Amino acid sequence: MDKRQAIGSWLSGPRAAAEEMGVDFGYRGQGLGLPESGPGSIAPLGRRFGALFIDWGLCLLVSYALLSGRNAQVAGNWALLVFLVLSLVTVGTVGATPGKLLLRLRVVGEGGVRLSLPRAVLRSVLLVLAIPAVVWDRDTRGLHDRLSRAVQIRV
């Protein structure tokens, strides 16, 4: 066997190389006991990013109109705080931000249970830090979701 095949190319990555050699990783969410598709399955990345952009736009609008004195530069700083509060209140109570509700997504704890308030606080604080959100596992869960034992699902 060629070493390049075992390691994978920089385009395909090591996962693709392992799959070519017969390793079965299963579908996203299988290890969490979630269905492969439909309601209750792992939310697709496109809809999750869409929800994030909707929520961020809403936070910018609120901070510009109410907190920044109509100064766009100051509004960006306030928007981060508004985003934290929005995430804490909405995910901690109904399990979804306005953007997630629009795109039919929900944040639940592992096992499908409601996310407890302390775990919602941990998730929200880590999400605002941004770094954990860009580190993903094989189920495409960000580090903020893994550490708070949360998962974003389709509704």
Side-chain angles (χ1 to χ4, degrees), residues 7 13 19 21 25 32 58 72-73 75 77 86 91-93 95 108 110 112-114 120 126 129 134 137:
I7 295 172
E19 286 173 343
M21 294 179 351
F25 289 103
L32 298 168
L58 179 65
Q73 230 172 352
N77 295 332
L86 175 78
V91 171
T93 56
V108 296
E110 291 175 349
V113 298
R114 189 170 86 70
L126 290 173
L129 293 176
V134 297
D137 65 4

Side-chain angles (χ1 to χ4, degrees), residues 3-117:
K3 282 186 180 179
R4 289 177 292 175
Q5 183 182 6
I7 295 172
S9 77
W10 67 275
L11 287 174
S12 64
R15 179 182 174 130
E19 286 173 343
E20 286 177 12
M21 294 179 351
V23 176
D24 180 22
F25 289 103
Y27 60 86
R28 293 181 313 122
Q30 185 174 13
L32 298 168
L34 299 174
E36 186 171 2
S37 61
S41 65
I42 295 268
L45 286 175
R47 285 169 62 182
R48 287 166 38 195
F49 281 125
L52 180 65
F53 288 130
I54 290 168
D55 293 334
W56 184 250
L58 179 65
C59 292
L60 278 172
L61 183 66
V62 167
S63 64
Y64 181 78
L66 302 177
L67 301 172
S68 70
R70 308 242 190 241
N71 182 335
Q73 230 172 352
V74 175
N77 295 332
W78 279 106
L80 197 56
L81 180 63
V82 172
F83 183 79
L84 175 64
V85 171
L86 175 78
S87 181
L88 284 172
V89 170
T90 59
V91 171
T93 56
V94 296
T97 61
K100 289 185 188 335
L101 287 173
L102 281 171
L103 297 180
R104 300 185 42 86
L105 303 176
R106 186 177 195 92
V107 179
V108 296
E110 291 175 349
V113 298
R114 189 170 86 70
L115 198 62
S116 67
L117 188 59

Side-chain angles (χ1 to χ4, degrees), residues 118-136:
R119 288 174 36 195
V121 169
L122 175 64
R123 182 185 184 278
S124 298
V125 169
L126 290 173
L127 184 59
V128 168
L129 293 176
I131 299 299
V134 297
V135 178
W136 296 338

